[in-house]
Amino acid sequence: MAEGCGLYIHIPFCKTPCGYCDFYKVKGERIDDEFVNLLLREASLYREDEKIKVVTLYFGGGTPSLLSPFQLEKIFSGLNEIFDFSDDLESTLEANPETLSSEKLDDFKRIGINRLSIGIQSLDDEVLKTLQRDVQRKEILEKLQIIFNSEFKNISFDLIIGSPNSSIKSVLKDLSLLTNFPFVHASLYILDIHRGTRLFEEIKNGLKPTDDDEIAEIYENCSTFLEEKNFIHYEISNFARRGFECKHNLKYWKEEEYIGIGPSSHSFFRNYRTKNPSSLKKWKNELEKGNFPFEEVSKESDKKREENKIIFGLRLKEGIDSDFLRRYLEESERDFDSLLSKLTEGALVNVEDKRVSLTLKGYLLSNEIITFLLSRDFLSEREFDD
Amino acid sequence: MDLSKIRNFCIIAHIDHGKTTLSDRILEATKAVSPREMQEQFLDGMDLERERGITIKAHTVSLRYVDEKGDEYLLNLIDTPGHVDFNYEVSRALAACEGALLVVDASQGVEAQTLANAYLAVDLGLELVPVINKIDLASAQPERVKDEIENVIGLDASDAILASAKENIGIEEILRAIVEKLPPPKGNADAPLKAMIFDSWYDSFRGVITLIRIIDGSVSVGDKIKFLATGKERNVEALGIFTPSPQQIKSLQTGQVGFLIAGVKDPKEIMIGDTITLGSNPCENPFPGFRKVKPMVFAGLYPVDPNEYPKLRDALEKLSLNDSSFIYEPETSEALGFGFRCGFLGFLHMEIVQERLEREFSLDLITTAPNVVYKIKTNKGEMVDIISPSKLPEPHLIEEFYEPYANVTVFTKSEFVGNVLKLFEERRGKQLNFNYASKDTVIIQYEIPLSEIIVDFYDKLKTVSSGYASMDYTIKDYKESDLVKVDVLVNGKPVDALSFISHKSQAERRGRVAASKLKEGIPRQLFEVVIQAAINSRIIARTVVKPLRKNVLAKCYGGDITRKRKLLEKQKEGKKRMKMVGDVSIPQEAFLSVLRVDEDR
């Protein structure tokens, strides 16, 4: 286990929820102080004599940038008092450009945030409209000026690819404009259309989704483009300049510990996976009774942990140790080699220096490759049912 | 009991023309017969457990009817199987009767099954009473239907009873006609026992229960009886009638109908149509018309999950207890592993069995494309039955190749005649008859290779006639035919479970269709899938399923860890419903799809 824990704070409020988003969120422009108090109340359940060491802090949402500097400061200092923040704490705040101002940014920086993850999604007004993002290209670009005029240096952007009404051309245009700004990190998400979202309904009513083959094309083009701009494609959806990989998110993929606070957040702590209810009310009720608000708890068996190491390790450029994989699959050297050679022949997998990793083509097929590799007694234990 | 007071009858009707409702009305209008009325003495000493042991499956019901003069009659209503594959069973049930109600829907008119079963009944010497049912419907056209009955079946319909079973119209008239117009059974009460088996089923407590009609003589509990076809002798353990609840009685007399239990544990020992006589005093000749039923359609059944092989085996065993016309034997396939070659009377029978296996035994099955039983004469002069294409010898070892033919009768509205004829012509049919049943109804008869109708003929017929056409068929003889085996190769390897036998003139087209059907049926996967069809190693078609480009969970953070696992589990479950052949996942349905010959897409 790495030297410290990740800490995730879920702020489930949005001014106008986006059409594609299926995260737990509540419509609201202002966040009341009661919520802030409840977050700290939940955090204090983790108070221990020897404080838990925290190396990464991540405010996600929802729209965490809706927090007033006063509220954020209260949370930050509260957490800092409960947990042992490491000196080189990576502390990220997700922000929608339209919620930012230079004053706010100065305050955030002063409070202790040192990394911003900007939810841009697209710079094409047609696509923004399709995604039902309540913002336009012009405003985003203005806000980017403000962001890069602030003291923040470690800044990431989110971009969605494969949205209806988008094309290779429109996405590459966005990328080339964005990479003119000194971003050090980028997340490119292939749009998933989730049941229950407004976008899902629109597609049911005839909006044409982008074809999977075209999405694959866009994805591969974007990756090549960003690598040419010196971004390393270090995870399926993530790119970073060397040394700027998101330490917090790496914890998820490397089976390291993290504590989630706030409704709908998840934790993986001391070998237990827990889930908070996706309901402010239920979350609050349990906290007020002085309980952990978990809705589900499951212990991670050794087998499942190994399996997860494979499933999630293969999301990373560094991949997984090939001996570990072979032992897990209980294959002889020969059978294992022939299994892998099938994948390498198809240019889906790289095997180098005893590491197995997915190629760009392989990233796009990671679900298939994992089921192909682990198809025997794999996933025998079920986890949560929701 | 006086023979003149017994009537054995059944109801002939096309599906949905109201047989069940009419039976119910007849049951309501009569009183159930008490066993005392049939015998002076009866046994009622059964304990509950044994009583429960007799499955209440009222395939025949004994009823009491008192006419206006106060005369009492025993009416035995005998049920007949409802679908075309059970032709022989229908003929045995009919043979147990002296007469039948011919029920025709007042708006639908005569249909293929009505005609086929009416002819069968006439051939067996049954008296028919026409009943025009559903006359309450606005669309009823009794005069037209009368014409049809006269023109098509050749039966005087001037006295046809106008009825509505639903509205309880004409029921008393029907009952009166049964006793007045249908003849009583003949038979010699003093002759040695001669009884005909017309139905049987398996009961887990009592073994095989048979339904019999006493032709001559009588049978009593304790008698030692002999089955003529098998030569087996058994002791009669119980006799009885259904009223409709089972009632045990001591003996069954000439002309009567009832059940017989003789401690038979193996259903294969009982054959429908067989004659029962007394071991000590046998009858001279068996009841005519007996034949062994032989399955004509075969298909491979395999569990999708190889671990379910024992479960499938047990299910087949249980099922065959209640359906002795269905047979199975173990089979292995390179592609599908361990499974069974199963024989059915026809394609509907196959569907029924398959559905029961999936529903009642919750099995996940792969059914291979069905084939008829071919016959070959080898170059050594032997005649061999071929029940599976993969068992076909190399072409140079085959001297002569035979396939079974069927006579198909189709009833259709004249506006669809063109479509129906086209369907027959596409499938090597040879026209035998073409007649107008009435102004706008046509009867078409074709001789056609059985193989042409076992897959999707019926569905097609319904489609091309907007659901109006009805069909019936009887299997005829074998004829020599120019046949070849078409192999299907997946990634260069022949898949035994996908090969099929086709007439040479159609083989190339069928091969192409099979390849393209498979292409539609096999989902894109990690690697490219090449599908080929070949005749005698010559490739005649090639299609490619392009490799998949994208299947990824793009976002994967804290909470998504569980979401991702769930997604993979779901995908794994989806894969479970497919069969891995080499590295290729083939969905269950694809194995059947190779023989679907529509080329619309």
Side-chain angles (χ1 to χ4, degrees):
Chain A
M1 206 51 58
E3 66 297 333
C5 194
L7 189 56
Y8 175 82
I9 315 294
H10 192 70
I11 311 293
F13 303 98
C14 288
K15 200 175 149 200
T16 350
C18 307
Y20 55 88
C21 174
D22 78 326
F23 281 88
Y24 176 64
K25 73 261 165 190
V26 180
K27 203 173 158 164
E29 209 161 329
R30 282 189 48 243
I31 298 168
D32 44 322
D33 293 339
E34 192 203 0
F35 176 75
V36 171
N37 291 334
L38 285 165
L39 281 180
L40 288 174
R41 193 158 178 171
E42 183 178 6
S44 65
L45 295 169
Y46 292 90
R47 190 191 293 275
E48 293 183 0
D49 288 347
E50 192 178 330
K51 290 180 181 175
I52 296 166
K53 176 135 190 191
V54 165
V55 290
T56 66
L57 172 62
Y58 196 105
F59 289 90
T63 315
S65 50
L66 283 179
L67 288 166
S68 70
F70 178 79
Q71 289 172 323
L72 185 67
E73 183 154 26
K74 188 170 175 193
I75 299 170
F76 194 94
S77 58
L79 294 172
N80 196 4
E81 193 257 320
I82 296 162
F83 297 100
D84 173 18
F85 280 3
S86 78
D87 295 341
D88 61 345
L89 180 78
E90 177 196 87
S91 132
T92 308
L93 181 94
E94 282 182 353
N96 281 353
E98 64 270 26
T99 59
L100 296 176
S101 65
S102 57
E103 297 76 28
K104 222 171 173 182
L105 284 165
D106 288 347
D107 285 332
F108 289 167
K109 186 77 186 57
R110 177 182 51 77
I111 291 162
I113 301 296
N114 55 28
R115 185 174 180 275
L116 291 176
S117 170
I118 310 293
I120 290 176
Q121 319 313 355
S122 175
L123 289 173
D124 182 317
D125 282 339
E126 180 68 22
V127 177
L128 286 167
K129 213 175 113 194
T130 307
L131 295 172
Q132 301 173 38
R133 280 278 290 123
D134 193 22
V135 66
Q136 292 194 324
R137 172 191 170 90
K138 189 165 162 276
E139 191 182 356
I140 297 174
L141 291 176
E142 283 165 14
K143 294 291 183 177
L144 282 180
Q145 297 293 346
I146 294 171
I147 293 164
F148 282 100
N149 276 331
S150 74
E151 284 180 59
F152 283 99
K153 294 286 169 276
N154 190 347
I155 306 170
S156 172
F157 67 85
D158 284 3
L159 201 68
I160 284 177
I161 62 178
S163 162
N165 295 326
S166 72
S167 64
I168 283 200
K169 237 172 102 185
S170 70
V171 177
L172 285 177
K173 211 171 113 192
D174 289 356
L175 265 190
S176 85
L177 180 54
L178 287 169
T179 47
N180 284 334
F181 290 94
F183 284 107
V184 292
H185 188 282
S187 301
L188 256 59
Y189 297 118
I190 294 173
L191 180 67
D192 267 332
I193 294 156
H194 296 285
R195 192 175 290 277
T197 59
R198 277 173 288 148
L199 192 60
F200 180 86
E201 290 305 310
E202 299 228 340
I203 286 189
K204 235 172 60 185
N205 293 331
L207 177 66
K208 194 173 162 286
T210 308
D211 166 79
D212 271 1
D213 286 4
E214 194 184 337
I215 293 178
E217 203 74 27
I218 298 174
Y219 176 86
E220 287 175 2
N221 272 282
C222 289
S223 172
T224 312
F225 179 88
L226 283 170
E227 294 221 302
E228 276 167 11
K229 298 269 178 190
N230 286 322
F231 284 88
I232 301 161
H233 194 168
Y234 74 101
E235 193 263 353
I236 288 178
S237 303
N238 286 283
F239 301 78
R241 291 270 158 77
R242 187 168 306 282
F244 287 97
E245 295 85 359
C246 177
K247 285 183 209 153
H248 181 80
N249 288 342
L250 279 168
K251 291 195 169 296
Y252 299 127
W253 306 316
K254 291 189 162 182
E255 289 284 292
E256 293 177 0
E257 290 186 314
Y258 52 90
I259 291 169
I261 288 178
S264 87
S265 66
H266 292 66
S267 306
F268 176 46
F269 186 59
R270 293 180 182 156
N271 247 338
Y272 282 89
R273 288 196 187 272
T274 59
K275 175 181 185 275
N276 281 356
S278 295
S279 149
L280 265 173
K281 206 176 142 205
K282 284 189 194 161
W283 174 72
K284 183 179 146 190
N285 279 346
E286 288 307 318
L287 285 174
E288 281 176 347
K289 285 186 256 170
N291 295 332
F292 278 106
F294 307 144
E295 178 175 81
E296 288 168 30
V297 179
S298 84
K299 189 164 196 281
E300 184 121 310
S301 66
D302 290 350
K303 180 170 177 296
K304 198 144 83 180
R305 193 165 52 248
E306 292 196 339
E307 209 167 75
N308 283 344
K309 265 191 179 166
I310 296 167
I311 297 175
F312 301 103
L314 284 174
R315 297 187 70 86
L316 296 169
K317 186 187 178 77
E318 63 178 61
I320 51 178
D321 184 75
S322 72
D323 285 333
F324 167 74
L325 179 61
R326 186 177 66 78
R327 277 197 307 272
Y328 178 85
L329 296 176
E330 297 174 2
E331 294 282 8
S332 67
E333 300 255 359
R334 230 185 78 198
D335 291 350
F336 183 65
D337 284 349
S338 81
L339 194 69
L340 283 189
S341 69
K342 255 182 215 136
L343 294 167
T344 48
E345 275 164 28
L348 299 168
V349 151
N350 281 323
V351 186
E352 231 176 296
D353 302 331
K354 287 263 163 201
R355 305 289 297 179
V356 178
S357 62
L358 303 186
T359 61
L360 185 56
K361 205 173 147 192
Y363 275 159
L364 274 168
L365 286 164
S366 61
N367 291 345
E368 291 285 324
I369 295 168
I370 289 162
T371 21
F372 174 79
L373 278 174
L374 309 185
S375 54
R376 274 140 300 191
D377 58 344
F378 150 70
L379 291 172
S380 45
E381 302 164 75
R382 285 197 58 99
E383 212 159 34
F384 303 151
D385 270 313
D386 62 10
Chain B
M1 186 159 190
D2 182 0
L3 278 187
S4 69
K5 292 291 189 297
I6 300 177
R7 297 292 181 274
N8 296 315
F9 72 104
C10 56
I11 301 175
I12 294 174
H14 193 77
I15 297 162
D16 292 337
H17 282 199
K19 182 162 101 172
T20 311
T21 319
L22 182 58
S23 304
D24 289 349
R25 287 286 177 258
I26 291 175
L27 254 70
E28 282 165 26
T30 53
K31 293 190 188 78
V33 176
S34 92
R36 222 174 275 278
E37 291 168 84
M38 293 188 62
Q39 300 292 161
E40 308 89 71
Q41 286 179 302
F42 67 100
L43 297 171
D44 58 358
M46 285 192 296
D47 55 70
L48 261 177
E49 177 114 323
R50 284 169 73 199
E51 172 134 43
R52 254 208 334 247
I54 298 171
T55 321
I56 299 170
K57 179 178 155 186
H59 274 189
T60 162
V61 191
S62 299
L63 306 160
R64 190 180 61 172
Y65 172 68
V66 183
D67 73 3
E68 291 154 324
K69 290 171 248 160
D71 288 340
E72 280 193 28
Y73 289 88
L74 168 67
L75 308 186
N76 294 312
L77 169 56
I78 293 168
D79 195 16
T80 54
H83 73 78
V84 290
D85 291 339
F86 288 97
N87 225 297
Y88 172 70
E89 281 78 354
V90 174
S91 83
R92 293 306 84 196
L94 292 176
C97 304
E98 280 74 41
L101 301 175
L102 179 76
V103 177
V104 182
D105 184 302
S107 31
Q108 305 289 331
V110 174
E111 306 237 27
Q113 248 180 295
T114 333
L115 178 75
N117 288 345
Y119 279 177
L120 207 52
V122 170
D123 284 350
L124 290 164
L126 268 64
E127 195 64 45
L128 299 184
V129 170
V131 175
I132 298 175
N133 192 25
K134 305 194 191 180
I135 54 148
D136 58 306
L137 295 183
S139 54
Q141 288 179 282
E143 288 312 311
R144 178 186 68 105
V145 174
K146 275 186 189 177
D147 282 351
E148 278 186 13
I149 293 173
E150 294 192 348
N151 294 340
V152 180
I153 301 172
L155 196 67
D156 177 9
S158 54
D159 291 344
I161 300 167
L162 302 183
S164 165
K166 196 170 137 245
E167 299 297 325
N168 222 344
I169 300 169
I171 306 303
E172 191 51 43
E173 234 181 310
I174 290 173
L175 286 167
R176 221 179 301 134
I178 290 170
V179 297
E180 284 169 10
K181 293 191 175 165
L182 301 186
K186 297 190 202 80
N188 184 351
D190 301 323
L193 171 68
K194 183 192 279 188
M196 192 263 296
I197 302 171
F198 62 88
D199 196 4
S200 77
W201 64 92
Y202 184 82
D203 179 275
S204 49
F205 291 95
R206 306 303 306 263
V208 182
I209 296 171
T210 58
L211 287 182
I212 57 169
R213 158 71 196 272
I214 311 289
I215 310 295
D216 293 321
S218 64
V219 64
S220 302
V221 173
D223 281 351
K224 177 165 263 185
I225 52 164
K226 185 174 177 180
F227 296 89
L228 283 186
T230 58
K232 288 245 159 75
E233 295 200 357
R234 296 281 178 186
N235 283 319
V236 177
E237 288 179 0
L239 293 166
I241 55 165
F242 290 101
T243 65
S245 61
Q247 308 282 341
Q248 294 212 18
I249 53 179
K250 231 180 177 176
S251 68
L252 282 169
Q253 309 292 329
T254 307
Q256 291 185 347
V257 167
F259 67 83
L260 175 146
I261 298 171
V264 177
K265 295 294 173 204
D266 178 8
K268 302 262 183 276
E269 203 181 304
I270 299 295
M271 288 185 234
I272 305 292
D274 193 7
T275 302
I276 293 176
T277 189
L278 285 182
S280 55
N281 181 19
C283 60
E284 221 166 288
N285 299 308
F287 186 77
F290 169 73
R291 66 180 165 88
K292 283 186 188 169
V293 279
K294 267 176 74 181
M296 285 308 290
V297 172
F298 280 78
L301 290 185
Y302 290 82
V304 175
D305 175 0
N307 294 327
E308 286 199 330
Y309 178 85
K311 197 174 155 194
L312 173 59
R313 186 190 55 209
D314 296 347
L316 291 175
E317 195 181 309
K318 278 205 187 110
L319 211 64
S320 69
L321 283 178
N322 263 316
D323 182 353
S324 52
S325 54
F326 153 69
I327 65 164
Y328 62 97
E329 58 181 60
E331 177 183 70
T332 55
S333 151
E334 255 177 76
L336 302 177
F338 291 100
F340 295 90
R341 197 78 195 162
C342 300
F344 312 91
L345 295 177
F347 58 101
L348 286 174
H349 187 208
M350 177 175 104
E351 274 175 20
I352 292 170
V353 170
Q354 207 181 317
E355 205 188 296
R356 287 188 63 187
L357 286 170
E358 301 208 316
R359 211 188 40 225
E360 293 171 32
F361 299 91
S362 46
L363 280 157
D364 232 347
L365 293 176
I366 289 174
T367 310
T368 65
N371 57 269
V372 300
V373 181
Y374 296 94
K375 285 182 191 294
I376 55 161
K377 189 171 163 195
T378 66
N379 57 356
K380 288 185 182 132
E382 291 168 297
M383 288 301 287
V384 181
D385 281 0
I386 301 295
I387 61 166
S388 163
S390 62
K391 299 275 156 49
L392 190 70
E394 290 295 307
H396 66 274
L397 300 173
I398 302 172
E399 196 90 334
E400 289 162 12
F401 213 144
Y402 297 88
E403 65 176 325
Y405 274 67
N407 281 2
V408 179
T409 305
V410 167
F411 263 65
T412 179
K413 284 195 171 177
S414 43
E415 57 187 296
F416 303 115
V417 161
N419 293 342
V420 174
L421 294 183
K422 185 164 166 271
L423 184 62
F424 274 117
E425 298 298 333
E426 280 168 2
R427 300 187 181 218
R428 297 190 283 144
K430 200 180 107 194
Q431 198 178 94
L432 300 176
N433 267 310
F434 184 102
N435 288 312
Y436 276 87
S438 64
K439 208 166 81 248
D440 43 28
T441 311
V442 175
I443 319 170
I444 305 166
Q445 276 180 314
Y446 264 79
E447 179 188 71
I448 190 169
L450 183 62
S451 67
E452 298 285 347
I453 59 170
I454 59 168
V455 179
D456 54 359
F457 184 84
Y458 189 64
D459 293 343
K460 282 268 135 174
L461 181 69
K462 285 286 176 196
T463 310
V464 302
S465 65
S466 303
Y468 280 113
S470 63
M471 77 172 262
D472 197 274
Y473 74 97
T474 44
I475 294 167
K476 295 291 180 191
D477 312 329
Y478 275 81
K479 288 189 180 183
E480 196 170 353
S481 191
D482 198 0
L483 301 165
V484 289
K485 186 167 88 159
V486 181
D487 289 310
V488 175
L489 294 77
V490 174
N491 284 348
K493 287 191 196 114
V495 178
D496 53 5
L498 291 173
S499 56
F500 58 92
I501 291 169
S502 164
H503 192 261
K504 208 170 183 178
S505 65
Q506 297 174 329
E508 292 211 8
R509 184 173 61 94
R510 292 238 163 137
R512 278 197 306 274
V513 174
S516 78
K517 287 278 164 198
L518 270 179
K519 184 190 165 166
E520 279 170 33
I522 296 178
R524 291 170 67 182
Q525 35 209 281
L526 264 187
F527 305 105
E528 182 181 79
V529 182
V530 178
I531 302 159
Q532 292 163 302
I535 300 170
N536 297 332
S537 331
R538 184 173 58 89
I539 303 294
I540 51 154
R542 182 181 192 274
T543 55
V544 173
V545 181
K546 280 194 297 178
L548 189 67
R549 286 289 304 274
K550 166 185 166 273
N551 178 3
V552 56
L553 183 68
K555 259 192 175 179
C556 184
Y557 300 105
D560 304 320
I561 302 279
T562 47
R563 178 150 64 150
K564 164 102 178 177
R565 285 187 61 101
K566 252 176 270 172
L567 184 84
L568 290 171
E569 274 170 28
K570 229 169 101 187
Q571 294 196 354
K572 191 189 158 210
E573 284 305 307
K575 290 227 159 61
K576 259 193 177 169
R577 291 188 59 85
M578 295 199 243
K579 199 81 190 177
M580 289 299 286
V581 176
D583 281 335
V584 183
S585 312
I586 304 182
Q588 288 163 291
E589 315 78 56
F591 288 90
L592 259 174
S593 74
V594 289
L595 281 194
R596 305 218 175 260
V597 281
D598 62 293
E599 292 160 289
D600 316 334
R601 279 166 292 174

